[in-house]
Amino acid sequence: MRYLALFRVFFRTSIQTDMEYRVDFFSRIIASLLALLTTMAGLSIAFTYTSSIKGWSFPQVMVLLSVYYLMDGLIEMFIAPNMRNIMAQVRDGTLDFLLLKPVPVQFLATFRTVNIWRIVNVLVALGLSSYTIGKLSLTVGGVQALTFIVTLAAGCGIIYSFWLILVTLTFWFVRVDNIEQIIWQAFEAGRYPIEIYPVWLRNALTYVVPVAFIITVPAKALTGQIGLSYALVSVCVSAIALLLSSLFWRFGLKFYTGASA
Amino acid sequence: MSESPHIVVRDLRKVYKVHEREAGAAASLKSLFKRKYKEVEAVKGISFTIQPGEIVGFLGPNGAGKTTTLKMLSGLLYPTSGEAKVLGFTPWKREPAYLRQLSYVLGNRSQLAWDIPAMDSFIVNQAIYEIPERQFRETLDELVNLLDLEKLLKKPVRGLSLGERMKCELAASLLHRPNVLFLDEPTLGVDVTMQTRIRQFIAEHNQRYGATVILTSHYMADVTALCKRVLVIHHGSLLYDGDLNQLSERIAPFKQVRLDLETPMEASEFAKYGDVVQIEGAKVTLRFPREQTSQVVSRLLTELSVVDLTVEDPAIEEVIDLVFQKVQA
Amino acid sequence: MRYWIRVYAAQLKLATAIMFQYRFSVLIWAIWGFVGPLLGLAIWSAATEAKGGSITSARGVTFSQADFAAYFLVFMIVSHLTMSWDAFEFAFRVRDGNLSPRLLKPVLPIHGDIANNFAFKIVTSTMLLPVWALLFYLLKPNIHFSIVNILIAIPAIFLAVLIRYLFQYCLAMFAFWTTRVEAINQLYFTVDGFLAGRIAPLALFPGWLGVIAYYSPFRSMATFPVEIILGRLPAEQFLTGFLYQIFWLGAGVGLFKLLWAGGMKQYSAVGA
């Protein structure tokens, strides 16, 4: 597998550059832990005043939060750093160099770097979810675990496609690097149960920015609130998203001209 | 000269501490906790003096210490030891009064705001350097004429070509009529016509305002066109300080002879006369020590069938190359 | 003094021109400030609804849904006016050497940056004004503006802007010692957001957490003016609030001077 080999090289060099910046390395771990902690603290303050919010108990919200955190970690680890690179490269015209490499541009551009320190997010998220599941005294059966993994993988595909589409827009509007902000703003909403939002926002978070598919569905799968049939829907949505975004990327590439041209 | 020198440098030294690490994942993990440092002496105690209004060329290969020296003289770097006075100021104290009289054009850095026309950045400079409105207009008009900026000033900087940007960069640096001007690779990546243009401009500006200029460039043409005096720096030491024309006599005392022969010959057959610089069919260029000139020429004329023969000084680029090769060896 | 006015005016004009070039991205960046408070509002409204319409803290502070709406809206606006993000820019500049041309100017770079920050706020606040008005209309906050309180809040906001800016800038200067400061900055933002009351009003914080938040510099950077505008702070506490602000401002200036001097030494030792 040539791609796998390439990916391994990318992975290794990015770990090395990350280690180069040691203060950064440690403080990032602390920073992301603290982000989780403050959200937990905020939620627990709210739950000191009530025992359930829109049908979600505190442990259930914690499971949701851990899935949010897991996704956040995966995005920051694999997707975001690459997409950021692309936006920067479009802006200063260095994407041209990528176009000259004998590897499909989409692969090269979107799997270039890995932000390894974010693995801490992933581990903490997994720890938190197992702890709260224990507290919920839920038994996670095989089907449930399978549903969770499938919906999570589908969610990864969806969020990847979503980023790719937005990044492709930079071919037309140079320096919309702040486009990333839009994604994160929408994504932020996923840390709470989407039931707390007004109907229009709930719909937007399901169909426009598919936060529901990325976070709420896997979280509900883990807490046993939905069954395997949902996973099928998620997989279909994910496949369509991947296909469309890839087509859009290729279309956009044709329009691309370096900023210096 | 009755005026005191603009730049006086004495035993200026700069040592960098560089973080060292081997390649590989294990090494990088190790360096996370424990770091090895290596000391690199970028400038090894150099001294020189520059008079007001001089244009001095700074020559040396990459990493010779040119930029480090200029950065110390502009106050961006603190020296490890040694002294320098520019216009009577110690550069690294970074006094506003000094900075007001200085400009440092870094070929690969920009002081212009990238996203908007250069004119807007000029206006900010006007305020920062307290340039009176009349003087600002005058200088600007002059710069617009000399550098042909008319159309460039209204375009966002990001839309300019490298050469066009450099012209704007120069203009921005000269608006406040600095008394001391450092030009670090001002023509890097600029096409040949533009290079000539920029050169002419620098010469004219120097004549008009008498600013002291230090220039570094990869293009010898920049230096030969502008500088009477050069400083040659290599591995952080000053190799030569003096007239550009005497450079070859002093540190590379060679002559060249261009031969036109009746029949082509093998390169190896010339070894007894001197070093072969170039050979192309029956046309050969040879180099030999200056003092052997008459002896070699007479031997060539008697031993070979020569159609034409010209004795000349080697090109300045080659002299420089020779110097650096010699030092390396 | 006239010199500084001229320098600031020129920098402000330049920065505004740049902002207008990128009004779209600038606006997106500004909208970032909406998300936190609105999420806070959503979760607290839902919690209030579950409790039958109002929440009362152990200290007897009561919030209805409309009170939460008022709190988070005012918080949103004050946060926008006081926000600062310079660490990112500054770190970039140190890393790619673009700080150097700025250091060659006879004016400290921070002045240009402050002007830039003001320009951002002028441009974005104008653009956001209708959005804020719309949110006030839609969310029906329980708020009664009193002219006196708003007049008192103005200097408080101004001080808050300066304090937040200085602390951010000090943080940015870590870039002199460590090549990437994004993480430290992120850490700071998280603490700032939480202790300033982005997730929950400080009045609802339980015991010791409330005490920490009360004495933290972040209260001086946003919460204090918010409390004045909402009329939730008794008048006799205004003076102490301002004293805290002046204290933190002094601390910020001192810290800045210290870090800048050290940073310049570091920058000019390692190479620009």
Side-chain angles (χ1 to χ4, degrees):
Chain A
M1 266 306 268
R2 177 159 169 248
Y3 288 146
L4 218 59
L6 262 176
F7 183 73
R8 259 187 36 218
V9 173
F10 294 160
F11 189 77
R12 223 182 37 225
T13 50
S14 51
I15 289 176
Q16 281 165 17
T17 32
D18 253 22
M19 298 277 184
E20 236 0 39
Y21 303 97
R22 49 182 173 168
V23 177
D24 199 58
F25 182 82
F26 290 123
S27 50
R28 269 171 195 266
I29 292 173
I30 300 167
S32 59
L33 280 175
L34 209 65
L36 179 68
L37 220 65
T38 53
T39 314
M40 279 169 67
L43 278 170
S44 67
I45 292 175
F47 273 99
T48 55
Y49 294 99
T50 174
S51 58
S52 121
I53 294 178
K54 297 276 180 186
W56 289 71
S57 68
F58 185 57
Q60 279 175 329
V61 171
M62 285 295 120
V63 171
L64 179 80
L65 190 60
S66 64
V67 174
Y68 166 84
Y69 202 64
L70 178 68
M71 267 298 172
D72 177 65
L74 289 175
I75 293 170
E76 277 289 1
M77 202 166 153
F78 297 105
I79 302 175
N82 290 296
M83 300 295 180
R84 267 175 220 143
N85 272 350
I86 300 174
M87 292 189 274
Q89 284 172 338
V90 169
R91 193 178 164 205
D92 60 24
T94 43
L95 192 71
D96 301 16
F97 296 120
L98 279 192
L99 299 180
L100 299 174
K101 300 271 159 63
V103 178
V105 185
Q106 189 188 333
F107 172 79
L108 194 62
T110 58
F111 293 105
R112 195 72 206 248
T113 52
V114 178
N115 227 339
I116 189 62
W117 60 272
R118 279 288 188 171
I119 196 128
V120 177
N121 286 38
V122 176
L123 295 178
V124 168
L126 290 175
L128 179 65
S129 52
S130 2
Y131 174 74
T132 38
I133 284 169
K135 254 196 139 177
L136 267 175
S137 42
L138 276 172
T139 40
V140 180
V143 179
Q144 218 172 309
L146 185 71
T147 318
F148 172 66
I149 289 166
V150 170
T151 49
L152 195 72
C156 289
I158 293 171
I159 192 72
Y160 172 88
S161 315
F162 193 73
W163 272 80
L164 189 62
I165 289 170
L166 286 174
V167 162
T168 306
L169 289 176
T170 49
F171 294 144
W172 286 277
F173 316 98
V174 186
R175 197 185 152 166
V176 264
D177 42 350
N178 282 321
I179 240 171
E180 187 185 343
Q181 300 301 328
I182 304 182
I183 306 176
W184 285 120
Q185 285 160 21
F187 190 75
E188 280 276 295
R191 67 167 71 200
Y192 298 136
I194 61 169
E195 284 84 358
I196 67 169
Y197 303 118
V199 182
W200 65 269
L201 187 58
R202 222 178 301 159
N203 285 334
L205 291 174
T206 312
Y207 303 111
V208 185
V209 190
V211 167
F213 282 106
I214 300 160
I215 300 161
T216 323
V217 170
K220 283 188 171 174
L222 198 56
T223 50
Q225 289 163 274
I226 52 168
L228 194 57
S229 56
Y230 262 90
L232 213 67
V233 180
S234 258
V235 170
C236 288
V237 172
S238 182
I240 293 168
L242 282 170
L243 184 72
L244 286 180
S245 63
S246 184
L247 285 174
F248 185 53
W249 163 264
R250 264 173 242 181
F251 177 68
L253 216 48
K254 284 187 197 150
F255 275 83
Y256 167 71
T257 49
S260 53
Chain B
M1 206 158 287
S2 61
E3 268 180 283
S4 57
H6 265 178
I7 302 175
V8 181
V9 174
R10 209 165 300 134
D11 296 324
L12 204 58
R13 227 174 119 249
K14 179 71 194 175
V15 179
Y16 291 115
K17 251 182 159 184
V18 185
H19 168 211
E20 232 185 357
R21 179 174 72 69
E22 297 103 78
S28 71
L29 194 68
K30 217 169 72 189
S31 79
L32 190 60
F33 301 100
K34 205 178 153 201
R35 307 200 145 192
K36 270 195 293 184
Y37 291 97
K38 190 176 74 175
E39 292 206 332
V40 176
E41 198 171 11
V43 175
K44 299 175 180 165
I46 60 173
S47 306
F48 56 86
T49 303
I50 296 177
Q51 299 302 328
E54 269 193 282
I55 305 187
V56 175
F58 225 25
L59 299 177
N62 283 335
K66 290 172 300 185
T67 302
T68 304
T69 307
L70 284 186
K71 280 187 171 167
M72 286 192 279
L73 292 183
S74 61
L76 287 175
L77 272 181
Y78 205 95
T80 310
S81 65
E83 273 178 62
K85 284 265 189 265
V86 183
L87 303 171
F89 294 95
T90 303
W92 42 90
K93 286 189 181 156
R94 305 186 9 82
E95 288 162 79
Y98 172 55
L99 295 175
R100 266 167 222 264
Q101 301 182 56
L102 167 80
S103 255
Y104 183 6
V105 179
L106 297 104
N108 53 352
R109 301 256 183 275
S110 182
Q111 61 158 321
L112 303 171
W114 183 244
D115 302 309
I116 50 173
M119 191 57 204
D120 293 288
S121 297
F122 289 3
I123 291 170
V124 173
N125 272 7
Q126 182 192 2
I128 288 178
Y129 290 100
E130 288 184 279
I131 309 169
E133 184 64 26
R134 245 188 74 196
Q135 186 195 328
F136 179 73
R137 285 289 145 207
E138 259 174 44
T139 322
L140 186 65
D141 282 348
E142 244 172 61
L143 292 167
V144 166
N145 279 332
L146 286 172
L147 285 168
D148 200 10
L149 296 177
E150 193 73 61
K151 287 183 209 113
L152 307 184
L153 289 185
K154 304 237 158 62
K155 279 201 255 174
V157 172
R158 81 178 118 82
L160 301 177
S161 75
L162 205 55
E164 291 172 334
R165 217 184 71 210
M166 185 41 73
K167 290 204 291 184
C168 292
E169 207 74 57
L170 267 174
S173 308
L174 294 173
L175 277 172
H176 60 286
R177 296 184 188 163
N179 290 323
V180 171
L181 178 61
F182 299 146
L183 299 168
D184 202 341
E185 301 287 353
T187 55
L188 195 68
V190 173
D191 67 53
V192 180
T193 6
M194 197 72 92
Q195 281 178 17
T196 323
R197 193 67 186 262
I198 289 175
R199 244 172 253 150
Q200 279 170 356
F201 169 76
I202 294 169
E204 268 191 67
H205 187 88
N206 167 263
Q207 271 190 351
R208 191 169 307 188
Y209 296 106
T212 305
V213 181
I214 299 185
L215 167 83
T216 80
S217 181
H218 264 81
Y219 302 105
M220 268 318 289
D222 284 347
V223 177
T224 45
L226 289 169
C227 312
K228 263 192 67 188
R229 175 180 167 199
V230 291
L231 301 174
V232 180
I233 185 170
H234 190 50
H235 289 317
S237 308
L238 204 56
L239 288 187
Y240 176 81
D241 173 1
D243 202 284
L244 176 66
N245 295 324
Q246 285 166 10
L247 176 65
S248 56
E249 277 173 46
R250 286 269 302 281
I251 50 178
F254 292 100
K255 280 278 182 188
Q256 280 185 183
V257 64
R258 267 204 317 228
L259 289 172
D260 214 340
L261 302 168
E262 271 177 358
T263 47
M265 287 168 61
E266 285 295 309
S268 56
E269 293 176 70
F270 295 103
K272 53 186 168 185
Y273 305 108
D275 296 332
V276 177
V277 180
Q278 205 187 4
I279 183 159
E280 203 180 312
K283 288 186 201 296
V284 189
T285 309
L286 298 175
R287 183 163 53 207
F288 39 81
R290 187 179 287 265
E291 65 272 14
Q292 297 173 11
T293 311
S294 53
Q295 183 204 343
V296 171
V297 170
S298 65
R299 274 177 62 203
L300 282 170
L301 288 172
T302 49
E303 292 166 24
L304 305 174
S305 44
V306 174
V307 178
D308 192 21
L309 180 149
T310 334
V311 181
E312 59 188 14
D313 283 322
I316 192 81
E317 285 93 333
E318 288 165 32
V319 174
I320 299 283
D321 272 357
L322 265 173
V323 172
F324 297 141
Q325 276 166 27
K326 224 167 69 179
V327 174
Q328 220 103 42
Chain C
M1 192 63 206
R2 277 186 58 195
Y3 170 61
W4 286 110
I5 292 174
R6 227 174 294 136
V7 168
Y8 265 85
Q11 301 259 30
L12 205 59
K13 240 172 80 185
L14 179 85
T16 315
I18 298 175
M19 293 295 160
F20 264 108
Q21 277 277 312
Y22 294 108
R23 47 197 176 275
F24 178 62
S25 14
V26 161
L27 194 64
I28 291 171
W29 187 217
I31 286 173
W32 188 227
F34 280 47
V35 179
L38 287 182
L39 289 184
L41 178 57
I43 194 91
W44 280 102
S45 309
T48 314
E49 206 184 290
K51 278 307 262 188
S54 82
I55 276 179
T56 307
S57 83
R59 272 172 286 160
V61 183
T62 301
F63 273 88
S64 68
Q65 274 183 325
D67 289 333
F68 276 118
Y71 173 80
F72 282 111
L73 273 175
V74 173
F75 183 86
M76 175 195 289
I77 294 168
V78 172
S79 294
H80 177 75
L81 293 176
T82 60
M83 77 189 273
S84 153
W85 63 96
D86 281 68
F88 297 103
E89 278 280 337
F90 200 87
F92 276 130
R93 272 193 236 145
V94 172
R95 201 185 325 172
D96 63 16
N98 274 323
L99 183 65
S100 296
R102 282 162 215 267
L103 289 177
L104 293 169
K105 302 274 168 74
V107 170
L108 281 187
I110 190 174
H111 297 294
D113 295 331
I114 292 178
N116 191 41
N117 190 283
F118 281 160
F120 175 82
K121 279 161 192 173
I122 292 167
V123 172
T124 50
S125 301
T126 329
M127 290 194 284
L128 290 180
L129 215 56
V131 185
W132 287 335
L134 186 71
L135 283 174
F136 266 96
Y137 173 75
L138 288 176
L139 297 173
K140 303 188 179 52
N142 172 29
I143 190 165
H144 308 284
F145 289 116
S146 113
I147 301 288
V148 180
N149 279 16
I150 288 185
L151 285 179
I152 296 170
I154 288 172
I157 290 175
F158 188 71
L159 283 168
V161 173
L162 289 179
I163 297 167
R164 195 170 247 173
Y165 193 83
L166 272 167
F167 272 77
Q168 248 288 295
Y169 212 84
C170 288
L171 203 70
M173 282 188 291
F174 278 95
F176 285 124
W177 291 275
T178 156
T179 348
R180 291 181 181 176
V181 288
E182 285 112 273
I184 299 175
N185 200 39
Q186 198 187 335
L187 197 129
Y188 174 83
F189 267 129
T190 309
V191 178
D192 175 333
F194 184 70
L195 290 180
R198 191 163 176 249
I199 300 178
L202 299 193
L204 297 179
F205 277 29
W208 57 274
L209 208 54
V211 174
I212 292 178
Y214 184 80
Y215 290 109
S216 85
F218 305 110
R219 183 168 173 268
S220 290
M221 297 181 196
T223 332
F224 174 55
V226 171
E227 288 166 351
I228 297 177
I229 294 172
L230 288 175
R232 279 189 173 266
L233 196 69
E236 63 267 22
Q237 284 188 33
F238 286 179
L239 188 64
T240 38
F242 277 113
L243 286 178
Y244 281 136
Q245 282 197 311
I246 287 163
F247 170 75
W248 287 117
L249 183 65
V253 172
L255 200 62
F256 168 75
K257 285 193 169 161
L258 217 69
L259 285 171
W260 182 258
M264 282 326 293
K265 223 177 217 165
Q266 175 74 12
Y267 190 68
S268 60
V270 184

